[in-house]
Amino acid sequence: MRGTTRARWAACVIAAGLMCATGCGGGAGFGGPGVLTSSWGDPQNPLEPANTNEVQGGKVLDMIFRGLKKYDPRTGKAQNWLARSIHTTDSQNFTIRLKDGWTFSNGEKVTAHSFVDAWNYGASLRNNQKDAYFFAYIDGYDKVHPDSGAQTADTLSGLRVVDDRTFTVRLSQKFSSFPDTLGYAAFAPLPRAFFTDHAAWLKKPVGNGPYRIESYTRGSAMNLKKWDGYPGPDKARNTGVTLLVYTDNNTAYTDVLAGNLDLVDDVPSTQLKNVGTDLNGRYINTPAGILQTLAFPYYDPKWNTSGARKVRTGLSMAINRKQITDTIFRGTRTPATDWTSPVLGAAGGYKPGLCGHACDYDPAQAKKLIREGGGFPGGQLKITYNADTGSHKQWVDAVCNSVNNTLGNDKACVGNPVGTFADFRNQIGQHKMTGPFRAGWQMDYPLIQNFLQPLYYTGASSNDGKWSNRQFDRLVDRANAETGQAAAVRLFQQAEEVVRDNMAAIPLWYQNGSAGYTSRLSDVALNPFSVPVYNEIKVG
């Protein structure tokens, strides 16, 4: 899932029909007693589960949907949720049985069809869902979502409804970790209203999670209310959440200090020096499954040569990660030495130091490699980033300063800002990048596979630069076919070494989740995905 953005909230404006009641002197003015306010950014796309692959939309889906699995908010471990059991004898054919008593907030029962119909919709080429690739291992995907030409089937042949609470899944190859992916939002169930009146559902999505959407005004706010009929054990401990749109997390932070906002879930780097004092200890800084990298446009032939590979490795060695993280991020970032995250642990695939010397700061070797590779394509390195948060400009400028000092040329590297996150993502999706661009990856589920396959596998959903390597693809396929986790991890790490040897993307730093909140709130925590555990927060 891709990086996040924030948006400015003008004090004392009307948000989704609710006027800030107390002169904007407290978050309780929005939505009534027991409602908390939190900073947010407009999602890139409508909130279809299989069409959301960025953080802001993901936050809402996590509140209004529950799937077969749910990731523990403290450990990240995949737990059965709507699934009573997921059984397989061969890691290729799975029988899934659902728990009874689950409904959507409109009263409709959640059945096997709710999942099978949703997955068929998400996989279909004609529906153009960004997360369609997550269904690629299910038999028949090549017919409903071919690489070229029109689809020749409407449904995945590998899905079959047995009865209201049972369905089977047949994969095109063994994938032992498949059950652990099923907590990802793309696999959420959908009610019949999604299909019978799609336009109305998009305006006001209906899910089966602890919250329901009451209203949404793009650019202003989304109001979510506790769903009293929610049957799950993780019921909301507050009466609702109002997500307020910010384009500047400094403004959000200031509003928290003033009591005009309850929660900011991305403390700006400029405030880290004083945040503990400012908020009297109401500050969270905890490891998260987030990695910042520089990605490259391999669809541009100039970046897809053996010389460019040397340039990329040299560029990695020209970046003084420790100095940047110490100076700008003050304990909320750690220099990356691989392409995953420490939150996975050794058993999950994290291998510190896998990048080797290529991720060490070595100006002399960096200069040599960049020169041997023919220099930066076009003569100047332009790092593209979205400018609607304060920290991206800071670190991009710092990276360029490090590169320029290495090369002895203060114009060798410059930042290339794009106004908003949505515009930035749209340009990436339209393959308009001409040089490196920031790529923040927030894990979808805590598996090494998720840090590698979606980003680097040929044709994968988030392979924005269109990198392709047959050796990498083969190793990933072999890893997915392993039935034992240890053997799978070893193969994934071999695939990661291929990423390293080609410097397919430059790992910069591991990112912590951070948040600050007012005294109105208690039991505030961030999950391993750096998202607030909204349903556990108490107000008042």
Side-chain angles (χ1 to χ4, degrees):
M1 197 176 274
R2 286 289 171 182
T4 182
T5 185
R6 302 290 184 270
R8 175 172 281 109
W9 176 255
C12 293
V13 299
I14 296 175
L18 294 174
M19 180 69 78
C20 179
T22 59
C24 291
F30 290 100
V35 175
L36 69 100
T37 57
S38 182
S39 60
W40 189 52
D42 284 312
Q44 183 184 11
N45 303 300
L47 291 171
E48 297 169 297
N51 202 34
T52 299
N53 68 345
E54 42 74 38
V55 176
Q56 302 307 324
K59 289 178 184 176
V60 179
L61 295 182
D62 286 346
M63 286 194 276
I64 67 171
F65 281 104
R66 288 293 181 263
L68 296 168
K69 294 269 188 175
K70 181 175 179 289
Y71 301 115
D72 186 281
R74 287 157 187 81
T75 67
K77 182 178 174 59
Q79 305 169 312
N80 279 356
W81 215 248
L82 268 72
R84 181 162 64 88
S85 64
I86 302 176
H87 178 70
T88 184
T89 58
D90 60 5
S91 296
Q92 187 167 359
N93 293 276
F94 297 84
T95 298
I96 298 174
R97 293 183 171 84
L98 304 179
K99 296 175 181 176
D100 196 13
W102 282 86
T103 67
F104 294 98
S105 61
N106 64 358
E108 178 188 330
K109 285 187 176 182
V110 179
T111 68
H113 275 290
S114 308
F115 286 96
V116 170
D117 292 348
W119 295 8
N120 280 323
Y121 181 91
S124 174
L125 178 63
R126 68 173 60 96
N127 295 327
N128 195 31
Q129 300 288 281
K130 286 186 176 294
D131 284 340
Y133 182 78
F134 281 90
F135 305 101
Y137 275 96
I138 300 175
D139 239 9
Y141 182 79
D142 58 334
K143 302 294 192 301
V144 302
H145 203 114
D147 291 336
S148 60
Q151 64 186 84
T152 57
D154 293 327
T155 58
L156 293 159
S157 58
L159 296 179
R160 185 174 70 88
V161 173
V162 177
D163 57 44
D164 270 0
R165 283 191 280 160
T166 310
F167 67 102
T168 61
V169 184
R170 184 178 69 253
L171 305 183
S172 56
Q173 68 174 71
K174 291 183 178 181
F175 184 11
S176 59
S177 297
F178 176 70
D180 286 344
T181 72
L182 298 178
Y184 182 54
F187 295 103
L190 287 169
R192 291 307 308 158
F194 178 89
F195 305 97
T196 57
D197 194 346
H198 191 227
W201 190 94
L202 289 179
K203 290 179 181 178
K204 194 173 183 180
V206 173
N208 66 323
Y211 294 92
R212 56 179 177 78
I213 295 175
E214 186 171 84
S215 62
Y216 174 39
T217 301
R218 187 168 183 83
S220 295
M222 176 177 284
N223 292 285
L224 298 106
K225 293 294 186 183
K226 175 183 179 179
W227 175 32
D228 291 329
Y230 174 66
D234 57 332
K235 298 179 186 294
R237 297 179 181 178
N238 48 68
T239 61
V241 178
T242 296
L243 299 172
L244 301 178
V245 177
Y246 284 79
T247 55
D248 183 353
N249 56 353
N250 282 289
T251 306
Y253 181 80
T254 301
D255 279 355
V256 169
L257 294 183
N260 297 330
L261 179 72
D262 290 319
L263 173 64
V264 55
D265 67 348
D266 184 13
V267 176
S269 58
T270 52
Q271 307 291 349
L272 293 174
K273 182 178 180 180
N274 301 313
V275 63
T277 303
D278 286 348
L279 292 172
N280 194 28
R282 296 186 303 275
Y283 167 57
I284 298 170
N285 176 26
T286 184
I290 303 175
L291 176 70
Q292 283 285 342
T293 67
L294 287 181
F296 294 88
Y298 293 97
Y299 45 81
D300 183 340
K302 295 189 295 294
W303 281 105
N304 205 4
T305 66
S306 58
R309 180 174 62 184
K310 281 191 172 184
V311 170
R312 293 191 300 272
T313 302
L315 177 57
S316 174
M317 299 173 79
I319 300 171
N320 192 336
R321 294 166 175 79
K322 186 176 189 308
Q323 183 183 67
I324 293 170
T325 54
D326 286 351
T327 303
I328 296 177
F329 295 116
R330 297 177 179 272
T332 63
R333 309 287 191 276
T334 306
T337 63
D338 86 323
W339 282 261
T340 68
S341 168
V343 301
L344 296 180
Y350 169 59
K351 188 174 182 180
L354 184 142
C355 184
H357 190 48
C359 285
D360 292 338
Y361 179 53
D362 186 341
Q365 182 68 3
K367 190 172 183 177
K368 178 176 180 288
L369 287 171
I370 292 170
R371 183 177 64 249
E372 288 178 355
F376 298 137
Q380 185 183 53
L381 193 74
K382 294 183 178 180
I383 300 177
T384 303
Y385 64 97
N386 57 296
D388 53 358
T389 65
S391 61
H392 292 321
K393 174 175 170 50
Q394 280 185 291
W395 72 254
V396 169
D397 286 349
V399 165
C400 278
N401 185 56
S402 185
V403 172
N404 291 342
N405 287 340
T406 294
L407 299 179
N409 178 357
D410 62 4
K411 295 182 180 179
C413 176
V414 295
N416 181 37
V418 175
T420 68
F421 177 72
D423 288 343
F424 173 66
R425 287 298 308 162
N426 287 335
Q427 287 188 30
I428 290 173
Q430 294 163 15
H431 304 145
K432 292 183 176 180
M433 297 293 106
T434 58
F437 53 97
R438 83 155 192 95
W441 183 254
Q442 180 198 49
M443 66 182 183
D444 301 306
Y445 40 83
L447 298 174
I448 183 175
Q449 178 262 357
N450 187 241
F451 281 92
L452 298 176
Q453 187 166 352
L455 294 165
Y456 307 112
Y457 196 91
T458 301
S461 59
S462 294
N463 187 348
D464 292 327
K466 299 299 179 184
W467 186 68
S468 180
N469 183 284
R470 290 181 180 178
Q471 183 185 7
F472 175 86
D473 291 352
R474 284 195 295 266
L475 286 166
V476 167
D477 289 341
R478 287 176 56 197
N480 282 329
E482 289 288 344
T483 55
Q485 182 179 356
V489 164
R490 283 194 296 271
L491 286 167
F492 275 122
Q493 288 174 339
Q494 289 179 36
E496 190 178 356
E497 290 170 0
V498 177
V499 172
R500 174 199 63 199
D501 295 342
N502 290 273
M503 197 53 71
I506 295 175
L508 296 173
W509 36 78
Y510 310 118
Q511 182 172 326
N512 284 8
S514 66
Y517 55 97
T518 68
S519 58
R520 291 184 73 235
L521 306 185
S522 59
D523 293 350
V524 181
L526 300 177
N527 64 25
F529 304 88
S530 85
V531 174
V533 187
Y534 289 109
N535 62 288
E536 294 187 359
I537 298 175
K538 296 178 181 177
V539 180

